[in-house]
Structures are given as structure tokens and as C-alpha cells.
Amino acid sequence: MFVDLRGKLNMTETIGHSGAWGIAAIMIVLISWVMYRWLAPRTWREWGSAGVVQAFIIALYAEMYGFPLTVYLLVRFFDLDGSDLSANLWSSLLGVGEVGMLISMLLGYTLAVTGIGIFLQGWRELHRAHQQGRLATDGLYGLVRHPQYTGLFLILFGEGIVHWPTLFSVSLFPIIVLAYSLLARHEERQVIERFGDEYRTYQQEVPRFVPRMGRLAKLVGKSRSGLG
């Protein structure tokens, strides 16, 4: 795909990482399969939240490997300097070239991998608690009430905001947080019906998604268990 981001066709310029629609399709299918495999939505609320994440994934990888629509629109309508452009938004806006792209990639992957570890370890702890017929309150659940959603937020923030931001990923991220916040509240009402005051006490002591000051390092440290 050869596009001059000032709005004119130019057969001599191209943006790196664009036009690889086959890779985009593979990544979308693969990441979507993993997401539905682990989130395992059942109710309409869960499917609705997962649907927003699905849109996030499609928008992200379609721009990452397909066509950099965000960069194209910003350059076209805000008359940005098109002499040193890449498909990565941070690299183009800040003019830091490949070095900036590498930094954003490393930071984004670090957050995403940490999120994957938190997500997987949270799932294991919850599964173990269900098998034992008890409330999950230790491990990651002693730091946040919904570590799986915390992990999911870190994955999406790392990939869609830090590593490869697009207009769609930046716009959809707060919607995803809102959707899963509402889903978490609904789930907590169901848990209260089963565990009553035990869970209400737990609610007062442990925050929903973000650990208390001084406990963030412990949350990150425990994420390694999920990757082990």
C-alpha cells in the first residue's frame, strides 16, 4: 500500500508495517481465540463486555499491520510534518523515529506480559477457590478483588495505548474499563448472595482493580507466578 499521508497518492513512499493484511487477520483470529478461551463469556453482560474487547482487538491489529488510519487522519487534517512518519503514532507525533517505536514497544510488551501473568494467576486462584467451595481472598485476591480484569486492563493498555495507540483503541479503552466495572459490580452482588457478610467485609478491605499504595510491587511480583 503506497499512500502519501498528506493526502496525495505517491508511488515512491510507503509506511513500514502497513499492507500486511494476512498477518493482521492471523493476529486478530489468534488473539480473539485466546480471549474467548480464557474469558469464557456466558451471560449477555459478559458477551457485551467481550464484544467491546473484540472491537478493540480488530481495530488495533488492522492498523498495526494493515493500514495506519490514525496516522493518516492526523497528518491529513492537522497538517503534521510528513517527512518522518511511521505507522506508530507515538513515533510520528514525537518525531523519535525507530528508537521511539522500539521504546514504546518494549514498555507496551512489559505491561502486556505483566497483565497476562496477573490474568492467568488470578484465574488459577479463583478456580482453586471454587473447587474448595470457599471465597477467594488470598494471593492476588488479597490485593485486588478482580485480578483477572486488572490483568486484562494492563494487557489492553500496554498494547493499545503504550505500544500501538490508535484513535479506536484510545477511545475504546475507557469504554472497556466501564463495561467491566459494571460487570464486576454485578458479579459482586451475586457473590454477596452466597457469602453475605464475609464478602462485604472483604469488599471494605480490598480495592476492586487497583491495589493500595505500596502494594503495586507485590501485585507485579505475583504476576510471575502466572507465567511460571
Side-chain angles (χ1 to χ4, degrees):
M1 181 174 297
F2 299 89
V3 181
D4 182 342
L5 294 188
R6 295 188 180 94
K8 300 177 182 179
L9 290 177
N10 187 327
M11 300 307 292
T12 63
E13 294 185 18
T14 184
I15 290 183
H17 309 286
S18 62
W21 289 105
I23 298 177
I26 291 172
M27 292 300 296
I28 290 170
V29 171
L30 178 61
I31 300 300
S32 298
W33 180 84
V34 172
M35 179 194 73
Y36 285 111
R37 167 68 177 82
W38 288 100
L39 287 180
R42 298 181 300 274
T43 67
W44 66 268
R45 288 185 177 88
E46 293 174 349
W47 277 105
S49 300
V52 182
V53 177
Q54 178 73 77
F56 182 100
I57 292 170
I58 293 173
L60 175 64
Y61 289 104
E63 286 207 38
M64 185 181 293
Y65 295 108
F67 177 66
L69 179 63
T70 297
V71 175
Y72 174 81
L73 292 175
L74 289 178
V75 172
R76 182 180 179 90
F77 293 107
F78 291 94
D79 197 28
L80 300 179
D81 181 12
S83 61
D84 185 25
L85 293 173
S86 72
N88 180 275
L89 181 60
W90 293 128
S91 180
S92 297
L93 288 179
L94 301 179
V96 290
E98 294 295 326
V99 174
M101 185 183 296
L102 177 62
I103 293 173
S104 67
M105 180 185 71
L106 292 176
L107 288 176
Y109 282 168
T110 298
L111 289 171
V113 170
T114 301
I116 291 171
I118 293 173
F119 183 94
L120 293 177
Q121 182 61 17
W123 185 89
R124 291 170 183 167
E125 293 177 358
L126 183 63
H127 179 67
R128 187 183 308 121
H130 281 173
Q131 286 183 321
Q132 298 172 354
R134 63 176 176 84
L135 185 64
T137 58
D138 54 359
L140 289 177
Y141 281 86
L143 302 173
V144 291
R145 301 200 301 270
H146 299 274
Q148 293 182 71
Y149 296 161
T150 298
L152 177 65
F153 297 156
L154 278 175
I155 295 169
L156 299 181
F157 185 82
E159 272 291 271
I161 307 296
V162 177
H163 175 205
W164 207 273
T166 71
L167 290 175
F168 293 104
S169 64
V170 172
S171 300
L172 285 173
F173 183 75
I175 298 176
I176 291 172
V177 173
L178 175 61
Y180 277 95
S181 296
L182 296 175
L183 180 59
R185 291 181 180 180
H186 174 73
E187 291 173 345
E188 289 181 353
R189 287 194 294 268
Q190 292 180 320
V191 177
I192 288 175
E193 292 179 0
R194 179 179 179 184
F195 292 98
D197 290 339
E198 182 182 0
Y199 192 78
R200 291 189 182 93
T201 301
Y202 171 71
Q203 279 182 309
Q204 295 174 356
E205 297 175 349
V206 179
R208 179 174 284 134
F209 300 128
V210 181
R212 301 188 190 282
M213 291 293 293
R215 309 194 77 183
L216 180 59
K218 191 173 183 180
L219 180 73
V220 173
K222 285 183 175 295
S223 69
R224 299 172 186 172
S225 301
L227 299 172

